[in-house]
Amino acid sequence: MIRNKSTLALVAEVAGVSLKTASRVVRKEPNVREETRRRVEHAMNEVSYRPGVAPRASVGARSFLIGLVFDNPNSSYVVDLLRGATEQTRAEGYNLVVEPIRTDDVNIVVNIKRLVIQSNLDGIVLPPPICDLDDVLSILDEFGTPYVGIGPNNNVLVNRPSIDDEAAAAAMTDYLIQLGHTDIAFVKGRARTSTTGQRLKGYERALRNSGLCRRSDFIVDGDYTFKSGLHAGEQLLRLNSAPTAIFASNDEMAAGVMTAAMKRNLIVPDDISVAGFDDSPTATMIWPQLTTVRQPIDEMSKIAVSMLVSQLRDREVASRETKVEYQLIVRDSTSSLKQS
Amino acid sequence: MIRNKSTLALVAEVAGVSLKTASRVVRKEPNVREETRRRVEHAMNEVSYRPGVAPRASVGARSFLIGLVFDNPNSSYVVDLLRGATEQTRAEGYNLVVEPIRTDDVNIVVNIKRLVIQSNLDGIVLPPPICDLDDVLSILDEFGTPYVGIGPNNNVLVNRPSIDDEAAAAAMTDYLIQLGHTDIAFVKGRARTSTTGQRLKGYERALRNSGLCRRSDFIVDGDYTFKSGLHAGEQLLRLNSAPTAIFASNDEMAAGVMTAAMKRNLIVPDDISVAGFDDSPTATMIWPQLTTVRQPIDEMSKIAVSMLVSQLRDREVASRETKVEYQLIVRDSTSSLKQS
DNA sequence: CTGAAAGCGCTTACAG
DNA sequence: CTGAAAGCGCTTACAG
């Protein structure tokens, strides 16, 4: 077991400085003479020193640890989140602690509390739907643990990186209207998640702006899973006056809608146009490929981390621009309304 | 900032015992009188004590930290891995440190080295394709860091939880043969990954056992991505004497093959049968739903963690049964060969 | 700009 | 079965 664990003490000894001075250059603190800094840096390379994350975390006010919890039915979302957060967290000199949790778990608050305490987290990033859980937010407030959410606000106090979900959903709906569709249905996302409400609002706004009437039988429940999309699609296509276009508020549900259509021997997009949201890998793994809205999850994750870090540094919430760009991606699952 | 961080010292004080005794019951060590144990446990609840992960990790021989690195194009695989590892790791009293890495990164060995040193890992679990990288394995051996892989062995010395990939691939091929197919093509996985070779072997074995000839133009390259499956499908369907069934060695590639078929206006499974491997969410998000082999990733991940933990405890590699069950899942993408 | 000392929350020998 | 002491690798006041 040759664990060539070089310690800060070794670095200090090799550089011929005190522990504290070595610590200063490792932590990139000011007040070190340029020549001293260079000597220490050289020593660090010499013994290939890496500051251990555990000792830093066990002492002092800051642990340099940021937590990422997630509970999302869409695994590509989780992986994008993870990659973005890992990258930015490393760039900022922090370490990431991840924890999958279940929103429907009654112990969710206890679990987050345990995570924050046990790991001594400096802050935590909360993707949807966790950032929409008031219980979680208030326990973090009580602890004084800084956090930043991801996705549209339903609470003015918290600023989060997000696309404008409402505008994006309106843009997709407008696109379907431009194709000549007037009977456009909408599949809602998971209840009590802020994206769900925003996307529905965008759909309704676009309808209203074009003078189309909102039919309540055209708005059906879903929970962002494929299965819920399948059920929603079956329900919509069973209608006496069925829609000619269905906008599902994420790609997995859109895939479900497409399956429902195909089960009825309907051809997408000739008989029915289908649109999704997210541009997840699923969007291009189904046939025909899905018209959708691209959302840069990894970028949002990076921004969330850097917002959190600057909040940690400045001890106050930065009010910075947090809207990121969405993009309408037109593929083959939508087409002009055929004259009948 | 009311961080009600209760320390071991507080527990000891409340219980009226020494620090060491309190430590003993927290760590579930022997040699504590039953009554003392109870008193300490009561005190732990009283002050809702949680041992901090950082201090444990910064001192002593063991850090109680297990690493999970991954680099997989398939995000559902990653998430299953993560869930399984998180669960088992917690059950064993360990904490999980995760790190996404890139196999094609030239710095991969350096990154793993850094991870092991910085986080002071007790051990690490290596899913494919990382467990098939000799460089990584040898640096870990040099460090004396225990590891356990996942997936089929290509190295007798390492035992890993896995299904029998060869047998599973043979079973799928046999199934296609039973449906009457004789012209069965195979799409290979990523190069230098052990599953790739095993699954190919299974396909070839089944062919051989049924007296069918192995056509080299029916075996095409892939890398476990949708895109590579699409290309492979196009290549196979362009053949003068095209196959009547295509077995892609994972679901994403099978989805690509199906898209290639649909682009040529072929009907699956009437014109061409398509089978996959993994039973990932993709398998049921495409239409027709995919015939595939189910592999319990989360269970394999759990087993990997518990193997690692017992290896840590006993200081020797446990030789235990590590094969887990696979399951042939017949859905709608395969059918009997039509007489022509 | 630099350092000697005390401290973080836990663990490891060791002694009784 | 129990505990007093030293130690882990780092950081935080504080002094010069």
Side-chain angles (χ1 to χ4, degrees), chain A residues 1 3 53 90 98-99 118 121 144-145 226 259 262-263 284 287, chain B residues 1 3 53 90 98-99 118 121 144-145 226 259 262-263 284 287:
Chain A
M1 191 107 132
R3 196 160 269 186
V53 354
R90 188 178 308 165
V98 310
E99 181 103 347
Q118 284 206 171
L121 261 29
T145 301
F226 172 85
T259 295
M262 284 164 159
K263 275 188 170 172
T284 51
W287 183 261
Chain B
M1 192 109 130
R3 195 160 271 184
V53 354
R90 189 178 308 166
V98 310
E99 181 103 347
Q118 284 206 175
L121 261 30
T145 301
F226 173 85
T259 295
M262 284 164 159
K263 275 189 172 173
T284 50
W287 183 260

PDB file of all heavy atoms in Angstrom, chain A residues 1 3 53 90 98-99 118 121 144-145 226 259 262-263 284 287, chain B residues 1 3 53 90 98-99 118 121 144-145 226 259 262-263 284 287:
ATOM      1  N   MET A   1       0.846  -1.199   0.000  1.00  0.00           N
ATOM      2  CA  MET A   1       0.000   0.000   0.000  1.00  0.00           C
ATOM      3  C   MET A   1       0.875   1.241   0.000  1.00  0.00           C
ATOM      4  O   MET A   1       1.086   1.890   1.015  1.00  0.00           O
ATOM      5  CB  MET A   1      -0.879  -0.033   1.263  1.00  0.00           C
ATOM      6  CG  MET A   1      -1.970   0.996   1.260  1.00  0.00           C
ATOM      7  SD  MET A   1      -3.578   0.266   0.987  1.00  0.00           S
ATOM      8  CE  MET A   1      -4.507   1.058   2.325  1.00  0.00           C
ATOM      9  N   ARG A   3       0.805   4.496  -0.526  1.00  0.00           N
ATOM     10  CA  ARG A   3      -0.040   5.661  -0.752  1.00  0.00           C
ATOM     11  C   ARG A   3       0.825   6.902  -0.586  1.00  0.00           C
ATOM     12  O   ARG A   3       1.079   7.347   0.518  1.00  0.00           O
ATOM     13  CB  ARG A   3      -1.204   5.635   0.242  1.00  0.00           C
ATOM     14  CG  ARG A   3      -2.322   6.544  -0.144  1.00  0.00           C
ATOM     15  CD  ARG A   3      -3.606   6.152   0.545  1.00  0.00           C
ATOM     16  NE  ARG A   3      -4.392   5.214  -0.257  1.00  0.00           N
ATOM     17  CZ  ARG A   3      -5.604   4.815   0.090  1.00  0.00           C
ATOM     18  NH1 ARG A   3      -6.143   5.202   1.209  1.00  0.00           N
ATOM     19  NH2 ARG A   3      -6.267   3.986  -0.694  1.00  0.00           N
ATOM     20  N   VAL A  53      -9.574  16.512   0.539  1.00  0.00           N
ATOM     21  CA  VAL A  53     -10.856  17.197   0.733  1.00  0.00           C
ATOM     22  C   VAL A  53     -11.379  17.011   2.152  1.00  0.00           C
ATOM     23  O   VAL A  53     -12.009  17.901   2.704  1.00  0.00           O
ATOM     24  CB  VAL A  53     -11.931  16.848  -0.356  1.00  0.00           C
ATOM     25  CG1 VAL A  53     -11.367  15.991  -1.449  1.00  0.00           C
ATOM     26  CG2 VAL A  53     -13.186  16.281   0.239  1.00  0.00           C
ATOM     27  N   ARG A  90     -15.447  21.849  -9.948  1.00  0.00           N
ATOM     28  CA  ARG A  90     -14.009  21.659  -9.960  1.00  0.00           C
ATOM     29  C   ARG A  90     -13.313  22.950 -10.358  1.00  0.00           C
ATOM     30  O   ARG A  90     -12.300  23.328  -9.776  1.00  0.00           O
ATOM     31  CB  ARG A  90     -13.643  20.532 -10.927  1.00  0.00           C
ATOM     32  CG  ARG A  90     -12.178  20.156 -10.830  1.00  0.00           C
ATOM     33  CD  ARG A  90     -11.837  19.015 -11.749  1.00  0.00           C
ATOM     34  NE  ARG A  90     -12.736  17.880 -11.556  1.00  0.00           N
ATOM     35  CZ  ARG A  90     -12.854  16.872 -12.406  1.00  0.00           C
ATOM     36  NH1 ARG A  90     -12.121  16.849 -13.506  1.00  0.00           N
ATOM     37  NH2 ARG A  90     -13.683  15.884 -12.166  1.00  0.00           N
ATOM     38  N   VAL A  98     -23.012  14.171  -4.319  1.00  0.00           N
ATOM     39  CA  VAL A  98     -24.324  13.971  -4.936  1.00  0.00           C
ATOM     40  C   VAL A  98     -25.158  12.981  -4.154  1.00  0.00           C
ATOM     41  O   VAL A  98     -24.633  12.098  -3.471  1.00  0.00           O
ATOM     42  CB  VAL A  98     -24.227  13.503  -6.405  1.00  0.00           C
ATOM     43  CG1 VAL A  98     -23.298  14.394  -7.186  1.00  0.00           C
ATOM     44  CG2 VAL A  98     -23.825  12.059  -6.485  1.00  0.00           C
ATOM     45  N   GLU A  99     -26.440  13.136  -4.247  1.00  0.00           N
ATOM     46  CA  GLU A  99     -27.345  12.263  -3.509  1.00  0.00           C
ATOM     47  C   GLU A  99     -28.686  12.154  -4.233  1.00  0.00           C
ATOM     48  O   GLU A  99     -29.410  13.132  -4.371  1.00  0.00           O
ATOM     49  CB  GLU A  99     -27.571  12.853  -2.106  1.00  0.00           C
ATOM     50  CG  GLU A  99     -28.472  12.017  -1.253  1.00  0.00           C
ATOM     51  CD  GLU A  99     -27.735  11.194  -0.204  1.00  0.00           C
ATOM     52  OE1 GLU A  99     -26.493  11.079  -0.291  1.00  0.00           O
ATOM     53  OE2 GLU A  99     -28.415  10.682   0.687  1.00  0.00           O
ATOM     54  N   GLN A 118     -24.099  15.792   7.885  1.00  0.00           N
ATOM     55  CA  GLN A 118     -23.053  14.780   7.802  1.00  0.00           C
ATOM     56  C   GLN A 118     -21.910  15.195   6.894  1.00  0.00           C
ATOM     57  O   GLN A 118     -20.748  14.964   7.203  1.00  0.00           O
ATOM     58  CB  GLN A 118     -23.629  13.463   7.274  1.00  0.00           C
ATOM     59  CG  GLN A 118     -24.412  12.706   8.263  1.00  0.00           C
ATOM     60  CD  GLN A 118     -24.419  11.207   7.974  1.00  0.00           C
ATOM     61  OE1 GLN A 118     -24.875  10.443   8.788  1.00  0.00           O
ATOM     62  NE2 GLN A 118     -23.942  10.792   6.823  1.00  0.00           N
ATOM     63  N   LEU A 121     -21.999  20.443   4.264  1.00  0.00           N
ATOM     64  CA  LEU A 121     -22.107  21.162   2.997  1.00  0.00           C
ATOM     65  C   LEU A 121     -22.062  22.678   3.165  1.00  0.00           C
ATOM     66  O   LEU A 121     -22.695  23.233   4.048  1.00  0.00           O
ATOM     67  CB  LEU A 121     -23.442  20.782   2.331  1.00  0.00           C
ATOM     68  CG  LEU A 121     -23.470  19.728   1.245  1.00  0.00           C
ATOM     69  CD1 LEU A 121     -22.374  18.684   1.397  1.00  0.00           C
ATOM     70  CD2 LEU A 121     -24.835  19.069   1.170  1.00  0.00           C
ATOM     71  N   GLY A 144     -29.574  27.949   7.672  1.00  0.00           N
ATOM     72  CA  GLY A 144     -28.691  28.952   7.107  1.00  0.00           C
ATOM     73  C   GLY A 144     -27.806  28.376   6.023  1.00  0.00           C
ATOM     74  O   GLY A 144     -26.724  28.881   5.758  1.00  0.00           O
ATOM     75  N   THR A 145     -28.255  27.299   5.401  1.00  0.00           N
ATOM     76  CA  THR A 145     -27.480  26.712   4.312  1.00  0.00           C
ATOM     77  C   THR A 145     -27.889  27.343   2.986  1.00  0.00           C
ATOM     78  O   THR A 145     -29.039  27.237   2.585  1.00  0.00           O
ATOM     79  CB  THR A 145     -27.735  25.187   4.241  1.00  0.00           C
ATOM     80  OG1 THR A 145     -27.374  24.613   5.473  1.00  0.00           O
ATOM     81  CG2 THR A 145     -26.917  24.567   3.120  1.00  0.00           C
ATOM     82  N   PHE A 226     -42.924   8.577 -19.654  1.00  0.00           N
ATOM     83  CA  PHE A 226     -43.412   8.000 -20.902  1.00  0.00           C
ATOM     84  C   PHE A 226     -44.822   7.443 -20.721  1.00  0.00           C
ATOM     85  O   PHE A 226     -45.712   7.683 -21.527  1.00  0.00           O
ATOM     86  CB  PHE A 226     -42.471   6.873 -21.340  1.00  0.00           C
ATOM     87  CG  PHE A 226     -42.972   6.084 -22.517  1.00  0.00           C
ATOM     88  CD1 PHE A 226     -42.738   6.523 -23.808  1.00  0.00           C
ATOM     89  CD2 PHE A 226     -43.675   4.904 -22.325  1.00  0.00           C
ATOM     90  CE1 PHE A 226     -43.202   5.804 -24.903  1.00  0.00           C
ATOM     91  CE2 PHE A 226     -44.145   4.177 -23.412  1.00  0.00           C
ATOM     92  CZ  PHE A 226     -43.910   4.625 -24.704  1.00  0.00           C
ATOM     93  N   THR A 259     -46.437   6.781 -29.389  1.00  0.00           N
ATOM     94  CA  THR A 259     -46.759   5.363 -29.304  1.00  0.00           C
ATOM     95  C   THR A 259     -48.274   5.149 -29.322  1.00  0.00           C
ATOM     96  O   THR A 259     -48.779   4.255 -30.002  1.00  0.00           O
ATOM     97  CB  THR A 259     -46.141   4.753 -28.033  1.00  0.00           C
ATOM     98  OG1 THR A 259     -44.724   4.805 -28.149  1.00  0.00           O
ATOM     99  CG2 THR A 259     -46.569   3.307 -27.850  1.00  0.00           C
ATOM    100  N   MET A 262     -49.439   5.513 -32.837  1.00  0.00           N
ATOM    101  CA  MET A 262     -49.061   4.382 -33.679  1.00  0.00           C
ATOM    102  C   MET A 262     -49.891   3.148 -33.371  1.00  0.00           C
ATOM    103  O   MET A 262     -50.210   2.369 -34.264  1.00  0.00           O
ATOM    104  CB  MET A 262     -47.578   4.105 -33.518  1.00  0.00           C
ATOM    105  CG  MET A 262     -46.772   5.147 -34.299  1.00  0.00           C
ATOM    106  SD  MET A 262     -45.056   5.186 -33.811  1.00  0.00           S
ATOM    107  CE  MET A 262     -44.332   5.975 -35.262  1.00  0.00           C
ATOM    108  N   LYS A 263     -50.261   3.012 -32.111  1.00  0.00           N
ATOM    109  CA  LYS A 263     -51.127   1.892 -31.742  1.00  0.00           C
ATOM    110  C   LYS A 263     -52.474   1.977 -32.438  1.00  0.00           C
ATOM    111  O   LYS A 263     -53.134   0.966 -32.667  1.00  0.00           O
ATOM    112  CB  LYS A 263     -51.368   1.901 -30.221  1.00  0.00           C
ATOM    113  CG  LYS A 263     -50.297   1.207 -29.427  1.00  0.00           C
ATOM    114  CD  LYS A 263     -50.734   1.097 -27.971  1.00  0.00           C
ATOM    115  CE  LYS A 263     -49.791   0.204 -27.199  1.00  0.00           C
ATOM    116  NZ  LYS A 263     -50.100   0.240 -25.746  1.00  0.00           N
ATOM    117  N   THR A 284     -34.339  12.096 -30.455  1.00  0.00           N
ATOM    118  CA  THR A 284     -33.796  11.624 -31.727  1.00  0.00           C
ATOM    119  C   THR A 284     -33.681  10.110 -31.779  1.00  0.00           C
ATOM    120  O   THR A 284     -33.148   9.557 -32.727  1.00  0.00           O
ATOM    121  CB  THR A 284     -32.410  12.248 -31.994  1.00  0.00           C
ATOM    122  OG1 THR A 284     -31.599  12.055 -30.832  1.00  0.00           O
ATOM    123  CG2 THR A 284     -32.532  13.729 -32.284  1.00  0.00           C
ATOM    124  N   TRP A 287     -38.896   7.482 -33.929  1.00  0.00           N
ATOM    125  CA  TRP A 287     -39.132   7.747 -35.342  1.00  0.00           C
ATOM    126  C   TRP A 287     -40.585   8.033 -35.577  1.00  0.00           C
ATOM    127  O   TRP A 287     -41.410   7.254 -35.130  1.00  0.00           O
ATOM    128  CB  TRP A 287     -38.685   6.549 -36.188  1.00  0.00           C
ATOM    129  CG  TRP A 287     -38.848   6.799 -37.639  1.00  0.00           C
ATOM    130  CD1 TRP A 287     -39.869   6.374 -38.444  1.00  0.00           C
ATOM    131  CD2 TRP A 287     -37.982   7.574 -38.469  1.00  0.00           C
ATOM    132  NE1 TRP A 287     -39.688   6.822 -39.716  1.00  0.00           N
ATOM    133  CE2 TRP A 287     -38.545   7.566 -39.772  1.00  0.00           C
ATOM    134  CE3 TRP A 287     -36.801   8.287 -38.237  1.00  0.00           C
ATOM    135  CZ2 TRP A 287     -37.959   8.246 -40.839  1.00  0.00           C
ATOM    136  CZ3 TRP A 287     -36.226   8.951 -39.296  1.00  0.00           C
ATOM    137  CH2 TRP A 287     -36.794   8.925 -40.588  1.00  0.00           C
TER     138      TRP A 287
ATOM    139  N   MET B   1     -27.490  31.446  11.233  1.00  0.00           N
ATOM    140  CA  MET B   1     -26.875  30.152  10.878  1.00  0.00           C
ATOM    141  C   MET B   1     -26.903  29.213  12.077  1.00  0.00           C
ATOM    142  O   MET B   1     -25.892  28.997  12.751  1.00  0.00           O
ATOM    143  CB  MET B   1     -25.428  30.408  10.429  1.00  0.00           C
ATOM    144  CG  MET B   1     -24.792  29.241   9.789  1.00  0.00           C
ATOM    145  SD  MET B   1     -24.564  29.461   8.042  1.00  0.00           S
ATOM    146  CE  MET B   1     -22.830  28.989   7.904  1.00  0.00           C
ATOM    147  N   ARG B   3     -26.541  26.098  12.991  1.00  0.00           N
ATOM    148  CA  ARG B   3     -26.144  24.762  12.564  1.00  0.00           C
ATOM    149  C   ARG B   3     -26.008  23.888  13.801  1.00  0.00           C
ATOM    150  O   ARG B   3     -24.987  23.905  14.482  1.00  0.00           O
ATOM    151  CB  ARG B   3     -24.847  24.842  11.755  1.00  0.00           C
ATOM    152  CG  ARG B   3     -24.557  23.599  10.990  1.00  0.00           C
ATOM    153  CD  ARG B   3     -23.577  23.866   9.865  1.00  0.00           C
ATOM    154  NE  ARG B   3     -24.265  24.254   8.630  1.00  0.00           N
ATOM    155  CZ  ARG B   3     -23.641  24.465   7.481  1.00  0.00           C
ATOM    156  NH1 ARG B   3     -22.346  24.354   7.407  1.00  0.00           N
ATOM    157  NH2 ARG B   3     -24.315  24.800   6.399  1.00  0.00           N
ATOM    158  N   VAL B  53     -18.846  13.053   8.009  1.00  0.00           N
ATOM    159  CA  VAL B  53     -18.046  12.199   7.124  1.00  0.00           C
ATOM    160  C   VAL B  53     -16.626  12.726   6.987  1.00  0.00           C
ATOM    161  O   VAL B  53     -15.684  11.949   6.856  1.00  0.00           O
ATOM    162  CB  VAL B  53     -18.702  11.922   5.734  1.00  0.00           C
ATOM    163  CG1 VAL B  53     -20.094  12.473   5.636  1.00  0.00           C
ATOM    164  CG2 VAL B  53     -17.836  12.343   4.584  1.00  0.00           C
ATOM    165  N   ARG B  90     -24.875   3.301   1.681  1.00  0.00           N
ATOM    166  CA  ARG B  90     -25.456   3.809   2.916  1.00  0.00           C
ATOM    167  C   ARG B  90     -25.765   2.660   3.870  1.00  0.00           C
ATOM    168  O   ARG B  90     -25.524   2.752   5.070  1.00  0.00           O
ATOM    169  CB  ARG B  90     -26.732   4.595   2.606  1.00  0.00           C
ATOM    170  CG  ARG B  90     -27.270   5.318   3.813  1.00  0.00           C
ATOM    171  CD  ARG B  90     -28.497   6.128   3.480  1.00  0.00           C
ATOM    172  NE  ARG B  90     -28.258   7.008   2.333  1.00  0.00           N
ATOM    173  CZ  ARG B  90     -29.222   7.620   1.670  1.00  0.00           C
ATOM    174  NH1 ARG B  90     -30.486   7.456   2.025  1.00  0.00           N
ATOM    175  NH2 ARG B  90     -28.933   8.389   0.645  1.00  0.00           N
ATOM    176  N   VAL B  98     -18.899  10.345  -6.194  1.00  0.00           N
ATOM    177  CA  VAL B  98     -19.030  10.010  -7.609  1.00  0.00           C
ATOM    178  C   VAL B  98     -18.260  10.984  -8.471  1.00  0.00           C
ATOM    179  O   VAL B  98     -18.058  12.138  -8.112  1.00  0.00           O
ATOM    180  CB  VAL B  98     -20.498   9.973  -8.078  1.00  0.00           C
ATOM    181  CG1 VAL B  98     -21.327   9.126  -7.156  1.00  0.00           C
ATOM    182  CG2 VAL B  98     -21.068  11.346  -8.225  1.00  0.00           C
ATOM    183  N   GLU B  99     -17.831  10.507  -9.603  1.00  0.00           N
ATOM    184  CA  GLU B  99     -17.047  11.332 -10.511  1.00  0.00           C
ATOM    185  C   GLU B  99     -17.239  10.866 -11.950  1.00  0.00           C
ATOM    186  O   GLU B  99     -16.878   9.751 -12.304  1.00  0.00           O
ATOM    187  CB  GLU B  99     -15.566  11.225 -10.130  1.00  0.00           C
ATOM    188  CG  GLU B  99     -14.667  12.048 -10.982  1.00  0.00           C
ATOM    189  CD  GLU B  99     -14.191  13.325 -10.314  1.00  0.00           C
ATOM    190  OE1 GLU B  99     -14.754  13.710  -9.254  1.00  0.00           O
ATOM    191  OE2 GLU B  99     -13.263  13.928 -10.851  1.00  0.00           O
ATOM    192  N   GLN B 118      -7.115  12.741  -3.295  1.00  0.00           N
ATOM    193  CA  GLN B 118      -7.809  13.893  -2.712  1.00  0.00           C
ATOM    194  C   GLN B 118      -8.935  13.487  -1.793  1.00  0.00           C
ATOM    195  O   GLN B 118      -9.132  14.080  -0.740  1.00  0.00           O
ATOM    196  CB  GLN B 118      -8.394  14.766  -3.819  1.00  0.00           C
ATOM    197  CG  GLN B 118      -7.389  15.606  -4.527  1.00  0.00           C
ATOM    198  CD  GLN B 118      -8.019  16.866  -5.119  1.00  0.00           C
ATOM    199  OE1 GLN B 118      -7.306  17.683  -5.638  1.00  0.00           O
ATOM    200  NE2 GLN B 118      -9.321  17.011  -5.051  1.00  0.00           N
ATOM    201  N   LEU B 121     -10.030   7.800  -0.814  1.00  0.00           N
ATOM    202  CA  LEU B 121     -10.970   6.698  -1.010  1.00  0.00           C
ATOM    203  C   LEU B 121     -10.474   5.381  -0.407  1.00  0.00           C
ATOM    204  O   LEU B 121      -9.317   5.027  -0.545  1.00  0.00           O
ATOM    205  CB  LEU B 121     -11.169   6.498  -2.520  1.00  0.00           C
ATOM    206  CG  LEU B 121     -12.389   7.081  -3.193  1.00  0.00           C
ATOM    207  CD1 LEU B 121     -12.878   8.341  -2.525  1.00  0.00           C
ATOM    208  CD2 LEU B 121     -12.102   7.321  -4.668  1.00  0.00           C
ATOM    209  N   GLY B 144      -2.416   0.312  -4.134  1.00  0.00           N
ATOM    210  CA  GLY B 144      -3.004  -0.578  -3.150  1.00  0.00           C
ATOM    211  C   GLY B 144      -4.443  -0.212  -2.835  1.00  0.00           C
ATOM    212  O   GLY B 144      -4.959  -0.527  -1.768  1.00  0.00           O
ATOM    213  N   THR B 145      -5.094   0.445  -3.788  1.00  0.00           N
ATOM    214  CA  THR B 145      -6.498   0.804  -3.582  1.00  0.00           C
ATOM    215  C   THR B 145      -7.392  -0.314  -4.096  1.00  0.00           C
ATOM    216  O   THR B 145      -7.362  -0.633  -5.283  1.00  0.00           O
ATOM    217  CB  THR B 145      -6.839   2.099  -4.348  1.00  0.00           C
ATOM    218  OG1 THR B 145      -5.985   3.145  -3.893  1.00  0.00           O
ATOM    219  CG2 THR B 145      -8.282   2.498  -4.133  1.00  0.00           C
ATOM    220  N   PHE B 226     -26.801   5.469 -30.180  1.00  0.00           N
ATOM    221  CA  PHE B 226     -27.885   5.459 -31.159  1.00  0.00           C
ATOM    222  C   PHE B 226     -27.343   5.672 -32.569  1.00  0.00           C
ATOM    223  O   PHE B 226     -27.684   4.955 -33.503  1.00  0.00           O
ATOM    224  CB  PHE B 226     -28.889   6.560 -30.825  1.00  0.00           C
ATOM    225  CG  PHE B 226     -29.957   6.761 -31.857  1.00  0.00           C
ATOM    226  CD1 PHE B 226     -31.108   5.982 -31.853  1.00  0.00           C
ATOM    227  CD2 PHE B 226     -29.814   7.727 -32.842  1.00  0.00           C
ATOM    228  CE1 PHE B 226     -32.091   6.157 -32.808  1.00  0.00           C
ATOM    229  CE2 PHE B 226     -30.794   7.911 -33.812  1.00  0.00           C
ATOM    230  CZ  PHE B 226     -31.926   7.125 -33.790  1.00  0.00           C
ATOM    231  N   THR B 259     -34.696   2.932 -36.634  1.00  0.00           N
ATOM    232  CA  THR B 259     -34.841   4.172 -37.392  1.00  0.00           C
ATOM    233  C   THR B 259     -34.352   3.989 -38.824  1.00  0.00           C
ATOM    234  O   THR B 259     -34.994   4.455 -39.779  1.00  0.00           O
ATOM    235  CB  THR B 259     -34.067   5.310 -36.696  1.00  0.00           C
ATOM    236  OG1 THR B 259     -34.688   5.557 -35.437  1.00  0.00           O
ATOM    237  CG2 THR B 259     -34.086   6.586 -37.516  1.00  0.00           C
ATOM    238  N   MET B 262     -37.004   2.171 -40.707  1.00  0.00           N
ATOM    239  CA  MET B 262     -38.165   3.013 -40.983  1.00  0.00           C
ATOM    240  C   MET B 262     -37.879   4.032 -42.069  1.00  0.00           C
ATOM    241  O   MET B 262     -38.751   4.377 -42.866  1.00  0.00           O
ATOM    242  CB  MET B 262     -38.623   3.676 -39.699  1.00  0.00           C
ATOM    243  CG  MET B 262     -39.374   2.665 -38.832  1.00  0.00           C
ATOM    244  SD  MET B 262     -39.540   3.211 -37.136  1.00  0.00           S
ATOM    245  CE  MET B 262     -40.928   2.177 -36.632  1.00  0.00           C
ATOM    246  N   LYS B 263     -36.645   4.517 -42.102  1.00  0.00           N
ATOM    247  CA  LYS B 263     -36.253   5.447 -43.163  1.00  0.00           C
ATOM    248  C   LYS B 263     -36.372   4.800 -44.537  1.00  0.00           C
ATOM    249  O   LYS B 263     -36.573   5.472 -45.534  1.00  0.00           O
ATOM    250  CB  LYS B 263     -34.798   5.885 -42.966  1.00  0.00           C
ATOM    251  CG  LYS B 263     -34.637   7.053 -42.019  1.00  0.00           C
ATOM    252  CD  LYS B 263     -33.202   7.547 -42.058  1.00  0.00           C
ATOM    253  CE  LYS B 263     -33.045   8.837 -41.268  1.00  0.00           C
ATOM    254  NZ  LYS B 263     -31.626   9.230 -41.176  1.00  0.00           N
ATOM    255  N   THR B 284     -38.805   0.647 -24.240  1.00  0.00           N
ATOM    256  CA  THR B 284     -40.265   0.771 -24.259  1.00  0.00           C
ATOM    257  C   THR B 284     -40.718   2.156 -24.691  1.00  0.00           C
ATOM    258  O   THR B 284     -41.900   2.460 -24.651  1.00  0.00           O
ATOM    259  CB  THR B 284     -40.861   0.444 -22.876  1.00  0.00           C
ATOM    260  OG1 THR B 284     -40.155   1.210 -21.891  1.00  0.00           O
ATOM    261  CG2 THR B 284     -40.705  -1.031 -22.565  1.00  0.00           C
ATOM    262  N   TRP B 287     -41.361   2.561 -30.836  1.00  0.00           N
ATOM    263  CA  TRP B 287     -42.482   1.783 -31.355  1.00  0.00           C
ATOM    264  C   TRP B 287     -42.080   1.096 -32.638  1.00  0.00           C
ATOM    265  O   TRP B 287     -41.588   1.760 -33.522  1.00  0.00           O
ATOM    266  CB  TRP B 287     -43.688   2.698 -31.606  1.00  0.00           C
ATOM    267  CG  TRP B 287     -44.870   1.919 -32.078  1.00  0.00           C
ATOM    268  CD1 TRP B 287     -45.315   1.788 -33.361  1.00  0.00           C
ATOM    269  CD2 TRP B 287     -45.749   1.142 -31.263  1.00  0.00           C
ATOM    270  NE1 TRP B 287     -46.408   0.988 -33.408  1.00  0.00           N
ATOM    271  CE2 TRP B 287     -46.703   0.568 -32.138  1.00  0.00           C
ATOM    272  CE3 TRP B 287     -45.820   0.856 -29.901  1.00  0.00           C
ATOM    273  CZ2 TRP B 287     -47.716  -0.266 -31.685  1.00  0.00           C
ATOM    274  CZ3 TRP B 287     -46.824   0.025 -29.451  1.00  0.00           C
ATOM    275  CH2 TRP B 287     -47.762  -0.523 -30.339  1.00  0.00           C
TER     276      TRP B 287
END
